[in-house]
């Protein structure tokens, strides 16, 4: 055990005395030390119940002969951080989470880890740490929120945000908005649609790092607590078997995760997080690989915001196991991949069937023959851009329009909010990339306003920033290279025609190359937006979105 170097031998008497100060007995010191990484806080609705999950995990660890030692991880609520300075810190928090877990695990020579995340950047941050440390580890999330109800219809947080824009446009009454505010988020848990948090919790299953059900069992269900106990027990099995994250998170596992990603139409943020996790695991993923998998993987599931179903529906339909079983039967998932259960994917999927074909469509009757995410390239995005194609209206799949250019998310939001954007235009939001933002803000404020005002079927939005998983419409993000490094998006001017062709995977600025060369000669790199604190350091170290916005790697 790693922890033996801290607690055994005559020269470790002082360490044992400190451990006694924790209330540990000699018997508990003789057992493996399992770090319980709990991202509970009283700010984030998705995390407010994680102390309960942690207690269940610790019970499982003790049942299996381990000694659980809990420590915290930070968590940002993207919904609360949206559309103000706070959003600059969201993606950047992923690296702090991974680094802090590394610090605690290495400083105290822990033997294994149980990772308890729930929301957006916490899940990938914890998976990055697991891959980096390569200690036996398992993920058990807090689970999704149940959908709310308003006037007989189920709703989620996205509907509340769009209704606010509807009030501004005179389409929704203030009284109705107030009622929706109170009804939209009825329980603890990660927001009820297939947004980034639930996307990553589902992909934790697909990667093999979490038990079946991790992504979809609702937060308030007793089954979530039972699963947490099983995860606590199972980490002891991983330790005994010597099964480690890099044995599980292989290239095969990432290909399986990408197939599930495309089949269920996850958040575009997965195109940042999967490459970053893979980097820590020593696996190379690129955007072209994602497109290859998307082209051969049908979109079988459409949850909010792309469709009318919610996470609870996916759970009742059989969850991620049922999705993977449908893909496995058609050769799109590799059954040889090993999971934290100690069994292979093929063994886990034996006998699994879809329980509701209205939620998980059959392979021969998909929503679309290709996956829910598309990578675009062209002279505006030489290194790539990402769109959640499953949430784009058919009439916007191929759109050409004049650019309306904004050098910040806030400026774009103000223009949309005050109804100065015209149908047919392409809103360009730049200098919001990983380095330029800094922190690569989500543009949910802008996309909610467009949708709430009924413009999501008429106006496109492109950015070197990113989007919430709750975004719908022709919203193209992660444009790389970003404007702050002199990428082509920095050269766009008002009125330039921009063509978005999602079926063809193209994003092009319809301006002569000679004119672009002239603009490039006079372009000047802007001064940094932040000059002190963590974000200033982050901006100096962060790489391109095309590579997952990983620190220390510049593409």
């Amino acid at each position: 055990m790693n922890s033996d170097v801290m607690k055994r031998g005559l020269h470790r008497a002082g360490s044992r005395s400190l451990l006694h100060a924790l209330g540990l007995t000699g018997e508990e010191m003789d057992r493996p030390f399992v770090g319980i990484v709990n991202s509970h806080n009283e700010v984030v609705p998705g995390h407010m119940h994680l102390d309960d999950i942690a207690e269940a995990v610790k019970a499982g660890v003790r049942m299996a002969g381990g000694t659980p030692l809990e420590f915290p991880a930070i968590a940002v609520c993207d919904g609360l951080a949206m559309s103000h300075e706070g959003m600059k810190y969201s993606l950047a928090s992923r690296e702090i989470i991974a680094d802090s877990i590394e610090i605690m695990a290495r400083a105290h020579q822990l033997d294994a880890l149980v990772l308890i995340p729930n929301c957006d950047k916490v899940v990938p941050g914890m998976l990055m740490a697991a891959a980096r440390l390569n200690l036996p580890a398992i993920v058990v999330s807090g689970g999704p929120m149940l959908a709310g109800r308003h006037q007989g219809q189920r709703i989620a947080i996205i509907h509340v945000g769009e209704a606010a824009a509807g009030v501004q446009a005179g389409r929704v009454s203030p009284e109705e908005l107030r009622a929706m505010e109170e009804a939209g988020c009825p329980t603890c848990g990660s927001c009820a649609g297939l947004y980034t948090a639930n996307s990553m919790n589902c992909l934790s299953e697909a990667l093999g790092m979490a038990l079946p059900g991790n992504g979809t069992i609702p937060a308030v269900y007793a089954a979530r607590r039972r699963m947490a106990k099983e995860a606590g027990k199972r980490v002891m099995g991983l330790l005994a078997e010597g099964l480690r994250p890099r044995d599980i998170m292989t290239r095969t596992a990432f290909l399986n995760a990408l197939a599930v990603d495309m089949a269920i139409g996850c958040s575009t943020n997965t195109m940042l997080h999967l490459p970053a996790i893979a980097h820590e695991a020593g696996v190379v993923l690129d955007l072209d690989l994602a497109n290859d998998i998307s082209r051969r993987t049908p979109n079988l599931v459409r949850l909010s915001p792309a469709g009318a179903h919610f996470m609870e529906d996916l759970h009742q339909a059989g969850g991620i196991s049922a999705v993977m079983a449908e893909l496995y039967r058609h050769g799109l998932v590799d059954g040889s991949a090993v999971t934290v259960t100690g069994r292979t994917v093929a063994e886990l999927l034996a006998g699994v069937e879809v329980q509701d074909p209205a939620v998980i469509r059959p392979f021969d009757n998909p929503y679309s023959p290709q996956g829910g995410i598309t990578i675009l390239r062209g002279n505006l995005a030489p290194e790539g851009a990402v769109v959640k194609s499953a949430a784009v209206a058919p009439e916007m799949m191929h759109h050409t329009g004049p650019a309306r250019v904004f050098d910040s998310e806030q400026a774009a939001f103000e223009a949309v909010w005050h109804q100065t954007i015209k149908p047919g235009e392409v809103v360009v939001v730049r200098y919001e990339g990983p380095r330029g933002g800094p922190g690569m803000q989500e543009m949910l404020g802008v996309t909610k306003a467009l949708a709430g005002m009924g413009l999501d079927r008429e106006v496109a939005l492109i950015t070197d920033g990113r989007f919430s998983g709750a975004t719908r419409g022709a919203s193209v993000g992660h444009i790389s290279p970003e404007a702050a490094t002199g990428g082509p998006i920095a050269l766009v001017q008002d009125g330039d025609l921009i063509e978005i062709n999602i079926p063809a995977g193209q994003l092009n600025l319809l301006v002569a190359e000679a004119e672009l060369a002239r603009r490039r000669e006079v372009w000047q790199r802007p001064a940094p937006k932040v000059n002190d604190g963590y974000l200033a350091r982050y901006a100096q170290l962060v790489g391109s979105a095309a590579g997952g916005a990983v620190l220390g790697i510049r593409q």
Side-chain angles (χ1 to χ4, degrees):
M1 293 188 294
N2 289 337
S3 61
D4 282 352
V5 303
M6 182 176 68
K7 64 191 182 185
R8 294 194 186 278
L10 185 62
H11 62 299
R12 294 300 179 192
S15 296
R16 291 190 294 275
S17 183
L18 290 169
L19 292 171
H20 278 307
L22 293 174
L24 296 183
T25 66
E27 182 182 357
E28 287 174 304
M29 286 187 219
D30 287 338
R31 297 174 178 178
F33 282 177
V34 179
I36 311 300
V37 190
N38 183 4
S39 56
H40 163 267
N41 64 49
E42 295 182 349
V43 180
V44 185
H47 290 237
M48 65 179 178
H49 63 303
L50 294 189
D51 275 354
D52 186 25
I53 301 298
E55 288 304 316
V57 167
K58 288 189 282 187
V61 170
R62 292 187 183 104
M63 281 191 282
T67 296
L69 297 172
E70 182 180 339
F71 62 90
I74 62 170
V76 172
C77 177
D78 282 22
L80 293 174
M82 195 68 63
S83 300
H84 58 78
E85 179 192 23
M87 182 45 67
K88 294 179 183 292
Y89 288 88
S90 174
L91 179 61
S93 73
R94 186 186 72 181
E95 319 310 312
I96 292 286
I97 292 162
D99 290 351
S100 64
I101 295 170
E102 175 192 353
I103 289 167
M104 289 295 289
R106 290 292 188 219
H108 303 104
Q109 293 294 291
L110 299 176
D111 299 302
L113 296 170
V114 181
L115 306 164
I116 309 176
N118 213 26
C119 291
D120 295 47
K121 311 310 160 297
V122 189
V123 187
M126 289 191 177
L127 284 168
M128 289 166 68
R132 184 187 304 173
L133 292 163
N134 205 31
L135 295 172
I138 190 169
V139 173
V140 53
S141 74
M145 184 183 290
L146 296 177
R149 284 195 172 272
H150 174 68
Q151 296 182 349
Q153 301 294 317
R154 291 189 300 168
I155 63 171
I157 186 66
I158 182 63
H159 302 95
V160 180
E162 291 178 359
V167 172
Q168 178 72 0
R171 295 156 55 95
V172 177
S173 72
E175 294 75 21
E176 182 175 1
L177 174 60
R178 179 61 183 165
M180 292 179 70
E181 288 176 12
E182 294 186 0
C185 297
T187 71
C188 60
S190 45
C191 296
L194 191 59
Y195 316 141
T196 305
N198 290 324
S199 293
M200 291 308 303
N201 283 324
C202 288
L203 295 186
S204 297
E205 272 190 66
L207 278 171
M209 284 297 295
L211 297 177
N214 178 74
T216 59
I217 298 173
V220 295
Y221 281 17
R224 174 66 53 179
R225 279 75 186 159
R226 295 195 299 271
M227 186 181 69
K229 290 178 182 177
E230 291 300 323
K233 291 167 60 178
R234 181 56 200 149
V235 77
M236 298 303 297
L238 294 171
L239 181 59
E241 297 159 18
L243 187 58
R244 297 171 180 266
R246 291 187 193 176
D247 301 323
I248 296 166
M249 288 193 283
T250 61
R251 181 176 175 81
T252 298
F254 280 101
L255 296 183
N256 285 347
L258 281 170
V260 171
D261 193 336
M262 302 307 165
I264 66 177
C266 287
S267 163
T268 52
N269 282 318
T270 61
M271 293 297 100
L272 286 172
H273 300 321
L274 286 177
I277 299 164
H279 168 72
E280 297 286 358
V283 175
V284 177
L285 288 186
D286 59 48
L287 295 181
D288 289 331
L289 178 61
N291 244 7
D292 290 343
I293 292 175
S294 182
R295 276 191 285 268
R296 61 177 184 262
T297 306
N299 180 213
L300 305 179
V301 175
R302 287 199 175 173
L303 306 185
S304 176
H309 298 123
F310 295 88
M311 292 303 298
E312 60 205 75
D313 301 313
L314 180 56
H315 175 61
Q316 296 299 332
I320 296 305
S321 293
V323 174
M324 293 185 74
E326 189 72 4
L327 297 176
Y328 177 59
R329 279 190 285 272
H330 293 85
L332 294 175
V333 159
D334 189 329
S336 68
V338 178
T339 72
V340 287
T341 66
R343 293 181 285 169
T344 66
V345 167
E347 290 170 328
L348 286 179
L349 299 182
V352 173
E353 299 286 344
V354 173
Q355 301 301 307
D356 187 348
V359 178
I360 304 173
R361 287 194 173 186
F363 194 88
D364 58 2
N365 182 34
Y367 283 101
S368 69
Q370 296 188 347
I373 291 177
T374 302
I375 307 303
L376 309 181
R377 290 187 186 270
N379 71 346
L380 196 47
E383 294 178 2
V386 183
V387 62
K388 187 171 182 173
S389 46
V392 179
E395 57 266 40
M396 292 297 290
M397 294 294 282
H398 188 182
H399 176 79
T400 301
R404 284 286 302 279
V405 182
F406 302 92
D407 287 347
S408 71
E409 186 266 349
Q410 184 60 37
F413 175 79
E414 292 292 336
V416 175
W417 193 251
H418 294 294
Q419 303 177 63
T420 67
I421 302 299
K422 300 179 178 63
E425 291 182 329
V426 178
V427 176
V428 179
V429 186
R430 63 191 180 190
Y431 298 107
E432 291 289 6
R435 188 176 179 185
M440 202 178 183
Q441 295 192 78
E442 289 185 346
M443 304 291 156
L444 183 59
V446 180
T447 58
K448 284 191 301 187
L450 286 170
M453 293 179 181
L455 292 173
D456 58 303
R457 292 174 177 265
E458 299 178 281
V459 172
L461 171 61
I462 69 170
T463 181
D464 54 5
R466 61 194 178 89
F467 297 109
S468 163
T471 294
R472 58 188 174 95
S475 301
V476 180
H478 307 198
I479 290 176
S480 300
E482 63 176 292
T485 62
I489 191 173
L491 309 179
V492 182
Q493 296 181 1
D494 281 340
D496 288 348
L497 287 180
I498 293 174
E499 181 185 25
I500 303 168
N501 189 337
I502 295 173
Q506 290 289 309
L507 177 63
N508 286 301
L509 178 61
L510 304 183
V511 174
E513 183 55 41
E515 171 61 15
L516 293 179
R518 186 193 67 78
R519 295 179 189 179
R520 194 172 288 111
E521 287 181 359
V522 300
W523 177 80
Q524 293 184 339
R525 188 182 307 278
K529 294 180 183 177
V530 179
N531 292 298
D532 56 14
Y534 174 57
L535 285 180
R537 298 194 301 275
Y538 180 85
Q540 289 296 313
L541 294 172
V542 70
S544 169
V550 175
L551 292 191
I553 295 182
R554 283 286 175 83
Q555 285 84 6

